[in-house]
Structure formats: structure tokens, C-alpha cells
Amino acid sequence: MLRDDINNAVKDAMRAKAERKLSTLRMVNSTIKNADIAARGEGKPPLSDADLLAVLQKMIKQRQESVELYDKGGRAELAAQERDEIAIISAYLPKQMSDDDVKAAISAAISATGAAGMKDMGKVIAELKTKYTGQMDFGKASGLVKAALTS
């Protein structure tokens, strides 16, 4: 499980005295625990690996936004710190799909769901999320799905 991999990495980082990696992984664990608590409050079971991948992607997106702001503000050292965190968190995500693979997956999902127009966009995105969570950026994918369904 992804949780076990992250917990083992925390232990390895402690042994190696890798401060940046250790602090980042502890932050990841904290975020996961908070998400578990929120899910439990809603009567849901602990997060699955697919849910954890979504949490990690959200963390990466937040850091990318921070990097952009730090770069605009001339804070290169903080931007570098955020980039380091992105690299550490990204190591736990599956390999990202290429643009061509994303387009092929979208075509397959449209065929599988029988989507005919924009009203079926939710079905297509849900299909993609069940198969490709953590492997594609759904923000970009939704634009491609929209384009495919309107043409």
C-alpha cells in the first residue's frame, strides 16, 4: 500500500538524516491523516490508494501554485524549496501519461460510456478517474474531453 511505502520512506529519511525529505514526508502523512479524519467524519472508510493519489496530486498542485507566486515575488529560495517538495511527493505517483496516451484514453472512455454530447461529460471523466487516477492531470483532461464531445 501507498501508506506503507510513505511510512517506510519516513524511516529511511530519518536514518539517512535527510531533513528536507523527512519534513516533506511527515507533511504528506499529516495531510493523509487529516483526509482520513475528514472521511471518517462523513461516515466513509479510510482512504484507498486511489484516494491517496488524488490527495498527493492536490498537494503537488498547491506547491506548483506556490512556486509560481514565489518566482513572481523574487523569492527563489522558497521556490526551490517547493520544487524539492514536488519532486519528493511526485516519487509516490505513478508515471504520468503522455498527451497521446491521454487522448487515446479519452477516446476509449467516450466509446465505453457511449457519450454523445456535453451532458455525458461527467460519465467520461468518472470513467477516466476509475482507470487513470494519478496518471493524468484531470484539469487538462476535462478540456480535452469537452473538445472531443463538442466536435
Side-chain angles (χ1 to χ4, degrees), residues 61-139:
K61 185 173 183 177
Q62 290 169 338
R63 273 143 196 82
Q64 288 169 336
E65 291 168 358
S66 296
V67 165
E68 193 176 302
L69 292 173
Y70 288 143
D71 283 340
K72 285 181 185 174
R75 301 293 306 266
E77 72 284 354
L78 293 175
Q81 180 178 329
E82 295 290 331
R83 284 187 185 99
D84 290 345
E85 290 179 4
I86 289 170
I88 292 166
I89 297 168
S90 295
Y92 297 95
L93 292 176
K95 184 178 176 292
Q96 295 294 301
M97 298 172 71
S98 70
D99 288 343
D100 292 336
D101 291 341
V102 170
K103 289 175 184 170
I106 289 170
S107 296
I110 289 172
S111 298
T113 58
M118 283 302 295
K119 63 181 173 33
D120 297 323
M121 185 170 170
K123 291 180 192 175
V124 175
I125 295 293
E127 174 79 11
L128 291 171
K129 284 187 176 185
T130 58
K131 293 182 179 178
Y132 304 107
T133 298
Q135 297 176 22
M136 72 170 67
D137 178 353
F138 288 103

Side-chain angles (χ1 to χ4, degrees), residues 1 20-21 38-40 48 55 68 70 75 78 80 105 113 117-118 126 142 150-151:
M1 271 182 70
R20 165 67 51 222
K21 186 172 185 178
R40 191 176 20 190
S48 67
V55 168
E68 193 176 302
Y70 288 143
R75 301 293 306 266
L78 293 175
T113 58
M118 283 302 295
S142 66
T150 55
S151 59

